[in-house]
Amino acid sequence: MKKKNLAQGLYVVLLLVDFYLLPLLIRNTGDTGAGIFLLLIMMPLLVFLGAVIYGLRCGLHWFLPLAAAVLFLPSIFLFYNESAWIYSVIYGAVAAAGNGVGRIFYHKR
């Protein structure tokens, strides 16, 4: 149980860095292309890879997609506009997919 709690805590930290520090790079550069790249490629990739690693270590868990979806919501009001709410759903789905992929290989270790 301790292993799962530690992994969840690390996953939450990864999500917080992903959703709140990476957008600061977008603001600092002011480059629209870089912003699109971060929002559509890098951020989902980090969510997916974190969920795969969690799935490999601890198996499938409902916490991951829910945490990704909920933790993204406040960033909408800080960095984006209200049209970005759909990314909350997308990041939740990406986290579920990544966790599922990790879960597939969890029993093979």
Side-chain angles (χ1 to χ4, degrees):
M1 189 64 168
K2 232 179 202 187
K3 178 179 159 186
K4 187 175 271 191
N5 288 339
L6 177 64
Q8 286 176 346
L10 292 174
Y11 185 75
V12 166
V13 169
L14 173 72
L15 288 176
L16 291 173
V17 166
D18 191 15
F19 295 152
Y20 295 95
L21 291 182
L22 285 181
L24 290 176
L25 295 175
I26 298 170
R27 279 195 169 171
N28 290 339
T29 63
D31 183 14
T32 305
I36 297 297
F37 177 74
L38 281 173
L39 187 64
L40 297 179
I41 305 293
M42 286 304 297
M43 291 171 69
L45 184 63
L46 286 174
V47 169
F48 183 79
L49 291 176
V52 167
I53 292 168
Y54 181 86
L56 285 170
R57 297 188 74 205
C58 301
L60 191 63
H61 201 270
W62 60 269
F63 169 78
L64 298 169
L66 183 62
V70 169
L71 288 175
F72 183 76
L73 288 174
S75 74
I76 294 170
F77 303 105
L78 294 172
F79 303 110
Y80 313 109
N81 58 36
E82 58 277 348
S83 67
W85 72 267
I86 191 66
Y87 288 104
S88 180
V89 175
I90 291 169
Y91 290 141
V94 167
N99 192 225
V101 168
R103 166 69 166 84
I104 290 170
F105 297 104
Y106 175 68
H107 287 294
K108 295 182 181 182
R109 292 184 347 157

mmCIF file of all heavy atoms in Angstrom, residues 18-57:
data_model
loop_
_atom_site.group_PDB
_atom_site.id
_atom_site.type_symbol
_atom_site.label_atom_id
_atom_site.label_comp_id
_atom_site.label_asym_id
_atom_site.label_seq_id
_atom_site.Cartn_x
_atom_site.Cartn_y
_atom_site.Cartn_z
ATOM 1 N N ASP A 18 3.593 19.337 -15.035
ATOM 2 C CA ASP A 18 3.116 19.318 -16.411
ATOM 3 C C ASP A 18 2.083 20.413 -16.665
ATOM 4 O O ASP A 18 2.157 21.127 -17.658
ATOM 5 C CB ASP A 18 2.523 17.937 -16.708
ATOM 6 C CG ASP A 18 2.224 17.711 -18.176
ATOM 7 O OD1 ASP A 18 2.721 18.474 -19.026
ATOM 8 O OD2 ASP A 18 1.489 16.755 -18.474
ATOM 9 N N PHE A 19 1.143 20.566 -15.780
ATOM 10 C CA PHE A 19 0.024 21.482 -16.010
ATOM 11 C C PHE A 19 0.286 22.915 -15.566
ATOM 12 O O PHE A 19 -0.408 23.826 -16.013
ATOM 13 C CB PHE A 19 -1.231 20.977 -15.306
ATOM 14 C CG PHE A 19 -1.755 19.679 -15.854
ATOM 15 C CD1 PHE A 19 -2.472 18.823 -15.041
ATOM 16 C CD2 PHE A 19 -1.540 19.298 -17.161
ATOM 17 C CE1 PHE A 19 -2.980 17.624 -15.524
ATOM 18 C CE2 PHE A 19 -2.030 18.097 -17.651
ATOM 19 C CZ PHE A 19 -2.746 17.264 -16.839
ATOM 20 N N TYR A 20 1.275 23.124 -14.684
ATOM 21 C CA TYR A 20 1.456 24.475 -14.139
ATOM 22 C C TYR A 20 2.826 25.084 -14.412
ATOM 23 O O TYR A 20 2.946 26.305 -14.443
ATOM 24 C CB TYR A 20 1.152 24.481 -12.636
ATOM 25 C CG TYR A 20 -0.294 24.171 -12.400
ATOM 26 C CD1 TYR A 20 -0.708 22.872 -12.119
ATOM 27 C CD2 TYR A 20 -1.263 25.149 -12.519
ATOM 28 C CE1 TYR A 20 -2.039 22.569 -11.952
ATOM 29 C CE2 TYR A 20 -2.597 24.856 -12.359
ATOM 30 C CZ TYR A 20 -2.983 23.564 -12.069
ATOM 31 O OH TYR A 20 -4.308 23.280 -11.922
ATOM 32 N N LEU A 21 3.850 24.297 -14.623
ATOM 33 C CA LEU A 21 5.155 24.868 -14.940
ATOM 34 C C LEU A 21 5.406 24.955 -16.448
ATOM 35 O O LEU A 21 5.968 25.942 -16.913
ATOM 36 C CB LEU A 21 6.278 24.074 -14.270
ATOM 37 C CG LEU A 21 6.335 24.189 -12.751
ATOM 38 C CD1 LEU A 21 7.511 23.399 -12.198
ATOM 39 C CD2 LEU A 21 6.414 25.631 -12.304
ATOM 40 N N LEU A 22 5.002 23.953 -17.194
ATOM 41 C CA LEU A 22 5.180 24.009 -18.643
ATOM 42 C C LEU A 22 4.437 25.181 -19.291
ATOM 43 O O LEU A 22 4.988 25.825 -20.185
ATOM 44 C CB LEU A 22 4.779 22.686 -19.295
ATOM 45 C CG LEU A 22 5.757 21.539 -19.119
ATOM 46 C CD1 LEU A 22 5.255 20.289 -19.822
ATOM 47 C CD2 LEU A 22 7.126 21.896 -19.625
ATOM 48 N N PRO A 23 3.216 25.499 -18.870
ATOM 49 C CA PRO A 23 2.558 26.667 -19.466
ATOM 50 C C PRO A 23 3.291 27.979 -19.207
ATOM 51 O O PRO A 23 3.160 28.926 -19.980
ATOM 52 C CB PRO A 23 1.177 26.680 -18.810
ATOM 53 C CG PRO A 23 0.928 25.270 -18.465
ATOM 54 C CD PRO A 23 2.266 24.728 -18.067
ATOM 55 N N LEU A 24 4.082 28.033 -18.146
ATOM 56 C CA LEU A 24 4.887 29.236 -17.915
ATOM 57 C C LEU A 24 5.924 29.419 -19.023
ATOM 58 O O LEU A 24 6.261 30.543 -19.382
ATOM 59 C CB LEU A 24 5.572 29.170 -16.557
ATOM 60 C CG LEU A 24 4.655 29.301 -15.347
ATOM 61 C CD1 LEU A 24 5.453 29.113 -14.064
ATOM 62 C CD2 LEU A 24 3.926 30.627 -15.348
ATOM 63 N N LEU A 25 6.407 28.314 -19.578
ATOM 64 C CA LEU A 25 7.327 28.394 -20.711
ATOM 65 C C LEU A 25 6.640 28.999 -21.925
ATOM 66 O O LEU A 25 7.247 29.742 -22.689
ATOM 67 C CB LEU A 25 7.869 27.009 -21.061
ATOM 68 C CG LEU A 25 8.739 26.323 -20.018
ATOM 69 C CD1 LEU A 25 9.088 24.920 -20.473
ATOM 70 C CD2 LEU A 25 9.980 27.136 -19.752
ATOM 71 N N ILE A 26 5.376 28.672 -22.102
ATOM 72 C CA ILE A 26 4.607 29.228 -23.215
ATOM 73 C C ILE A 26 4.501 30.732 -23.049
ATOM 74 O O ILE A 26 4.713 31.497 -23.991
ATOM 75 C CB ILE A 26 3.200 28.600 -23.290
ATOM 76 C CG1 ILE A 26 3.287 27.103 -23.551
ATOM 77 C CG2 ILE A 26 2.377 29.273 -24.385
ATOM 78 C CD1 ILE A 26 1.956 26.381 -23.401
ATOM 79 N N ARG A 27 4.184 31.176 -21.861
ATOM 80 C CA ARG A 27 4.041 32.609 -21.603
ATOM 81 C C ARG A 27 5.357 33.350 -21.778
ATOM 82 O O ARG A 27 5.388 34.452 -22.274
ATOM 83 C CB ARG A 27 3.509 32.840 -20.194
ATOM 84 C CG ARG A 27 2.042 32.671 -20.087
ATOM 85 C CD ARG A 27 1.565 33.255 -18.802
ATOM 86 N NE ARG A 27 0.114 33.316 -18.841
ATOM 87 C CZ ARG A 27 -0.616 33.614 -17.812
ATOM 88 N NH1 ARG A 27 -0.061 33.886 -16.660
ATOM 89 N NH2 ARG A 27 -1.919 33.651 -17.918
ATOM 90 N N ASN A 28 6.447 32.742 -21.322
ATOM 91 C CA ASN A 28 7.745 33.412 -21.383
ATOM 92 C C ASN A 28 8.277 33.533 -22.798
ATOM 93 O O ASN A 28 8.959 34.496 -23.116
ATOM 94 C CB ASN A 28 8.769 32.701 -20.497
ATOM 95 C CG ASN A 28 8.447 32.887 -19.023
ATOM 96 O OD1 ASN A 28 7.745 33.807 -18.640
ATOM 97 N ND2 ASN A 28 8.966 32.002 -18.197
ATOM 98 N N THR A 29 8.007 32.549 -23.638
ATOM 99 C CA THR A 29 8.512 32.619 -25.005
ATOM 100 C C THR A 29 7.597 33.458 -25.885
ATOM 101 O O THR A 29 8.071 34.121 -26.791
ATOM 102 C CB THR A 29 8.641 31.221 -25.630
ATOM 103 O OG1 THR A 29 7.360 30.614 -25.715
ATOM 104 C CG2 THR A 29 9.598 30.356 -24.850
ATOM 105 N N GLY A 30 6.318 33.402 -25.644
ATOM 106 C CA GLY A 30 5.376 34.137 -26.472
ATOM 107 C C GLY A 30 5.225 33.555 -27.868
ATOM 108 O O GLY A 30 4.568 34.139 -28.722
ATOM 109 N N ASP A 31 5.823 32.422 -28.108
ATOM 110 C CA ASP A 31 5.788 31.769 -29.413
ATOM 111 C C ASP A 31 4.558 30.869 -29.498
ATOM 112 O O ASP A 31 4.417 29.923 -28.733
ATOM 113 C CB ASP A 31 7.072 30.964 -29.603
ATOM 114 C CG ASP A 31 7.160 30.299 -30.957
ATOM 115 O OD1 ASP A 31 6.383 30.654 -31.859
ATOM 116 O OD2 ASP A 31 8.028 29.416 -31.113
ATOM 117 N N THR A 32 3.671 31.152 -30.430
ATOM 118 C CA THR A 32 2.448 30.375 -30.571
ATOM 119 C C THR A 32 2.741 28.934 -30.976
ATOM 120 O O THR A 32 2.112 28.007 -30.480
ATOM 121 C CB THR A 32 1.519 31.025 -31.614
ATOM 122 O OG1 THR A 32 1.292 32.374 -31.229
ATOM 123 C CG2 THR A 32 0.202 30.301 -31.707
ATOM 124 N N GLY A 33 3.712 28.738 -31.858
ATOM 125 C CA GLY A 33 4.072 27.387 -32.291
ATOM 126 C C GLY A 33 4.573 26.543 -31.134
ATOM 127 O O GLY A 33 4.214 25.375 -30.999
ATOM 128 N N ALA A 34 5.397 27.142 -30.284
ATOM 129 C CA ALA A 34 5.892 26.422 -29.110
ATOM 130 C C ALA A 34 4.747 26.115 -28.154
ATOM 131 O O ALA A 34 4.710 25.042 -27.537
ATOM 132 C CB ALA A 34 6.975 27.234 -28.397
ATOM 133 N N GLY A 35 3.828 27.047 -28.025
ATOM 134 C CA GLY A 35 2.667 26.824 -27.158
ATOM 135 C C GLY A 35 1.812 25.671 -27.636
ATOM 136 O O GLY A 35 1.391 24.825 -26.849
ATOM 137 N N ILE A 36 1.552 25.620 -28.909
ATOM 138 C CA ILE A 36 0.766 24.523 -29.482
ATOM 139 C C ILE A 36 1.498 23.194 -29.299
ATOM 140 O O ILE A 36 0.897 22.185 -28.947
ATOM 141 C CB ILE A 36 0.472 24.788 -30.973
ATOM 142 C CG1 ILE A 36 -0.385 26.038 -31.137
ATOM 143 C CG2 ILE A 36 -0.188 23.588 -31.635
ATOM 144 C CD1 ILE A 36 -1.759 25.956 -30.523
ATOM 145 N N PHE A 37 2.813 23.200 -29.528
ATOM 146 C CA PHE A 37 3.615 21.991 -29.356
ATOM 147 C C PHE A 37 3.532 21.484 -27.915
ATOM 148 O O PHE A 37 3.335 20.292 -27.676
ATOM 149 C CB PHE A 37 5.072 22.260 -29.745
ATOM 150 C CG PHE A 37 5.978 21.093 -29.522
ATOM 151 C CD1 PHE A 37 5.945 19.998 -30.372
ATOM 152 C CD2 PHE A 37 6.861 21.081 -28.452
ATOM 153 C CE1 PHE A 37 6.776 18.915 -30.162
ATOM 154 C CE2 PHE A 37 7.699 20.002 -28.236
ATOM 155 C CZ PHE A 37 7.659 18.917 -29.097
ATOM 156 N N LEU A 38 3.678 22.389 -26.958
ATOM 157 C CA LEU A 38 3.604 21.980 -25.555
ATOM 158 C C LEU A 38 2.218 21.458 -25.195
ATOM 159 O O LEU A 38 2.082 20.425 -24.544
ATOM 160 C CB LEU A 38 3.974 23.143 -24.639
ATOM 161 C CG LEU A 38 5.453 23.423 -24.484
ATOM 162 C CD1 LEU A 38 5.681 24.696 -23.688
ATOM 163 C CD2 LEU A 38 6.152 22.270 -23.814
ATOM 164 N N LEU A 39 1.191 22.173 -25.614
ATOM 165 C CA LEU A 39 -0.174 21.805 -25.243
ATOM 166 C C LEU A 39 -0.643 20.520 -25.917
ATOM 167 O O LEU A 39 -1.333 19.712 -25.296
ATOM 168 C CB LEU A 39 -1.129 22.955 -25.579
ATOM 169 C CG LEU A 39 -2.566 22.809 -25.101
ATOM 170 C CD1 LEU A 39 -2.617 22.777 -23.576
ATOM 171 C CD2 LEU A 39 -3.414 23.946 -25.620
ATOM 172 N N LEU A 40 -0.274 20.327 -27.165
ATOM 173 C CA LEU A 40 -0.805 19.181 -27.909
ATOM 174 C C LEU A 40 0.123 17.973 -27.965
ATOM 175 O O LEU A 40 -0.344 16.860 -28.239
ATOM 176 C CB LEU A 40 -1.148 19.608 -29.341
ATOM 177 C CG LEU A 40 -2.236 20.669 -29.469
ATOM 178 C CD1 LEU A 40 -2.451 21.021 -30.929
ATOM 179 C CD2 LEU A 40 -3.528 20.199 -28.835
ATOM 180 N N ILE A 41 1.421 18.170 -27.714
ATOM 181 C CA ILE A 41 2.364 17.059 -27.813
ATOM 182 C C ILE A 41 3.019 16.748 -26.466
ATOM 183 O O ILE A 41 2.896 15.642 -25.934
ATOM 184 C CB ILE A 41 3.466 17.344 -28.868
ATOM 185 C CG1 ILE A 41 2.861 17.683 -30.220
ATOM 186 C CG2 ILE A 41 4.444 16.175 -28.945
ATOM 187 C CD1 ILE A 41 2.122 16.554 -30.896
ATOM 188 N N MET A 42 3.736 17.707 -25.910
ATOM 189 C CA MET A 42 4.539 17.454 -24.713
ATOM 190 C C MET A 42 3.697 17.152 -23.474
ATOM 191 O O MET A 42 4.001 16.206 -22.746
ATOM 192 C CB MET A 42 5.457 18.656 -24.426
ATOM 193 C CG MET A 42 6.617 18.756 -25.384
ATOM 194 S SD MET A 42 7.626 17.262 -25.445
ATOM 195 C CE MET A 42 8.242 17.194 -23.788
ATOM 196 N N MET A 43 2.688 17.944 -23.225
ATOM 197 C CA MET A 43 1.886 17.731 -22.019
ATOM 198 C C MET A 43 1.157 16.386 -22.051
ATOM 199 O O MET A 43 1.226 15.636 -21.075
ATOM 200 C CB MET A 43 0.948 18.910 -21.796
ATOM 201 C CG MET A 43 1.721 20.174 -21.403
ATOM 202 S SD MET A 43 0.738 21.677 -21.353
ATOM 203 C CE MET A 43 -0.313 21.366 -19.955
ATOM 204 N N PRO A 44 0.474 16.037 -23.146
ATOM 205 C CA PRO A 44 -0.154 14.703 -23.171
ATOM 206 C C PRO A 44 0.871 13.564 -23.108
ATOM 207 O O PRO A 44 0.606 12.529 -22.500
ATOM 208 C CB PRO A 44 -0.909 14.667 -24.504
ATOM 209 C CG PRO A 44 -1.060 16.075 -24.910
ATOM 210 C CD PRO A 44 0.088 16.823 -24.316
ATOM 211 N N LEU A 45 2.043 13.778 -23.709
ATOM 212 C CA LEU A 45 3.077 12.748 -23.679
ATOM 213 C C LEU A 45 3.557 12.508 -22.254
ATOM 214 O O LEU A 45 3.727 11.355 -21.836
ATOM 215 C CB LEU A 45 4.239 13.141 -24.580
ATOM 216 C CG LEU A 45 5.354 12.124 -24.724
ATOM 217 C CD1 LEU A 45 4.830 10.840 -25.366
ATOM 218 C CD2 LEU A 45 6.490 12.700 -25.554
ATOM 219 N N LEU A 46 3.748 13.568 -21.487
ATOM 220 C CA LEU A 46 4.154 13.407 -20.089
ATOM 221 C C LEU A 46 3.077 12.717 -19.265
ATOM 222 O O LEU A 46 3.374 11.878 -18.415
ATOM 223 C CB LEU A 46 4.503 14.761 -19.480
ATOM 224 C CG LEU A 46 5.832 15.355 -19.919
ATOM 225 C CD1 LEU A 46 6.001 16.758 -19.353
ATOM 226 C CD2 LEU A 46 6.975 14.471 -19.484
ATOM 227 N N VAL A 47 1.825 13.073 -19.514
ATOM 228 C CA VAL A 47 0.716 12.412 -18.812
ATOM 229 C C VAL A 47 0.703 10.927 -19.152
ATOM 230 O O VAL A 47 0.589 10.076 -18.267
ATOM 231 C CB VAL A 47 -0.638 13.070 -19.173
ATOM 232 C CG1 VAL A 47 -1.808 12.244 -18.664
ATOM 233 C CG2 VAL A 47 -0.708 14.486 -18.617
ATOM 234 N N PHE A 48 0.841 10.602 -20.431
ATOM 235 C CA PHE A 48 0.813 9.209 -20.877
ATOM 236 C C PHE A 48 1.973 8.410 -20.284
ATOM 237 O O PHE A 48 1.778 7.326 -19.739
ATOM 238 C CB PHE A 48 0.850 9.152 -22.408
ATOM 239 C CG PHE A 48 0.763 7.763 -22.966
ATOM 240 C CD1 PHE A 48 -0.466 7.116 -23.040
ATOM 241 C CD2 PHE A 48 1.878 7.090 -23.395
ATOM 242 C CE1 PHE A 48 -0.558 5.827 -23.544
ATOM 243 C CE2 PHE A 48 1.805 5.814 -23.905
ATOM 244 C CZ PHE A 48 0.578 5.179 -23.983
ATOM 245 N N LEU A 49 3.185 8.950 -20.385
ATOM 246 C CA LEU A 49 4.354 8.222 -19.876
ATOM 247 C C LEU A 49 4.291 8.038 -18.360
ATOM 248 O O LEU A 49 4.633 6.963 -17.853
ATOM 249 C CB LEU A 49 5.640 8.949 -20.270
ATOM 250 C CG LEU A 49 5.975 8.932 -21.752
ATOM 251 C CD1 LEU A 49 7.225 9.767 -22.028
ATOM 252 C CD2 LEU A 49 6.149 7.515 -22.250
ATOM 253 N N GLY A 50 3.831 9.058 -17.648
ATOM 254 C CA GLY A 50 3.676 8.920 -16.205
ATOM 255 C C GLY A 50 2.659 7.843 -15.852
ATOM 256 O O GLY A 50 2.866 7.048 -14.929
ATOM 257 N N ALA A 51 1.569 7.792 -16.605
ATOM 258 C CA ALA A 51 0.538 6.784 -16.349
ATOM 259 C C ALA A 51 1.025 5.385 -16.700
ATOM 260 O O ALA A 51 0.695 4.417 -16.007
ATOM 261 C CB ALA A 51 -0.725 7.119 -17.141
ATOM 262 N N VAL A 52 1.827 5.257 -17.754
ATOM 263 C CA VAL A 52 2.390 3.953 -18.110
ATOM 264 C C VAL A 52 3.316 3.471 -16.995
ATOM 265 O O VAL A 52 3.243 2.307 -16.571
ATOM 266 C CB VAL A 52 3.149 4.008 -19.461
ATOM 267 C CG1 VAL A 52 3.981 2.760 -19.676
ATOM 268 C CG2 VAL A 52 2.174 4.199 -20.607
ATOM 269 N N ILE A 53 4.170 4.349 -16.519
ATOM 270 C CA ILE A 53 5.096 3.971 -15.443
ATOM 271 C C ILE A 53 4.327 3.577 -14.189
ATOM 272 O O ILE A 53 4.647 2.581 -13.539
ATOM 273 C CB ILE A 53 6.085 5.117 -15.167
ATOM 274 C CG1 ILE A 53 7.024 5.269 -16.362
ATOM 275 C CG2 ILE A 53 6.873 4.873 -13.888
ATOM 276 C CD1 ILE A 53 7.854 6.528 -16.346
ATOM 277 N N TYR A 54 3.289 4.346 -13.860
ATOM 278 C CA TYR A 54 2.476 3.987 -12.701
ATOM 279 C C TYR A 54 1.810 2.627 -12.915
ATOM 280 O O TYR A 54 1.779 1.794 -12.014
ATOM 281 C CB TYR A 54 1.407 5.047 -12.435
ATOM 282 C CG TYR A 54 0.577 4.723 -11.232
ATOM 283 C CD1 TYR A 54 0.990 5.105 -9.972
ATOM 284 C CD2 TYR A 54 -0.605 4.001 -11.345
ATOM 285 C CE1 TYR A 54 0.243 4.794 -8.849
ATOM 286 C CE2 TYR A 54 -1.359 3.680 -10.237
ATOM 287 C CZ TYR A 54 -0.937 4.084 -8.991
ATOM 288 O OH TYR A 54 -1.666 3.755 -7.887
ATOM 289 N N GLY A 55 1.276 2.391 -14.101
ATOM 290 C CA GLY A 55 0.644 1.109 -14.403
ATOM 291 C C GLY A 55 1.611 -0.054 -14.319
ATOM 292 O O GLY A 55 1.250 -1.138 -13.875
ATOM 293 N N LEU A 56 2.849 0.166 -14.745
ATOM 294 C CA LEU A 56 3.869 -0.877 -14.643
ATOM 295 C C LEU A 56 4.194 -1.195 -13.194
ATOM 296 O O LEU A 56 4.436 -2.352 -12.844
ATOM 297 C CB LEU A 56 5.152 -0.434 -15.352
ATOM 298 C CG LEU A 56 5.145 -0.461 -16.863
ATOM 299 C CD1 LEU A 56 6.391 0.229 -17.404
ATOM 300 C CD2 LEU A 56 5.066 -1.888 -17.372
ATOM 301 N N ARG A 57 4.208 -0.176 -12.359
ATOM 302 C CA ARG A 57 4.598 -0.370 -10.961
ATOM 303 C C ARG A 57 3.448 -0.833 -10.079
ATOM 304 O O ARG A 57 3.644 -1.618 -9.165
ATOM 305 C CB ARG A 57 5.173 0.920 -10.398
ATOM 306 C CG ARG A 57 6.438 1.344 -11.129
ATOM 307 C CD ARG A 57 7.100 2.489 -10.482
ATOM 308 N NE ARG A 57 7.726 1.986 -9.266
ATOM 309 C CZ ARG A 57 7.991 2.736 -8.223
ATOM 310 N NH1 ARG A 57 7.692 4.008 -8.241
ATOM 311 N NH2 ARG A 57 8.559 2.226 -7.160
#
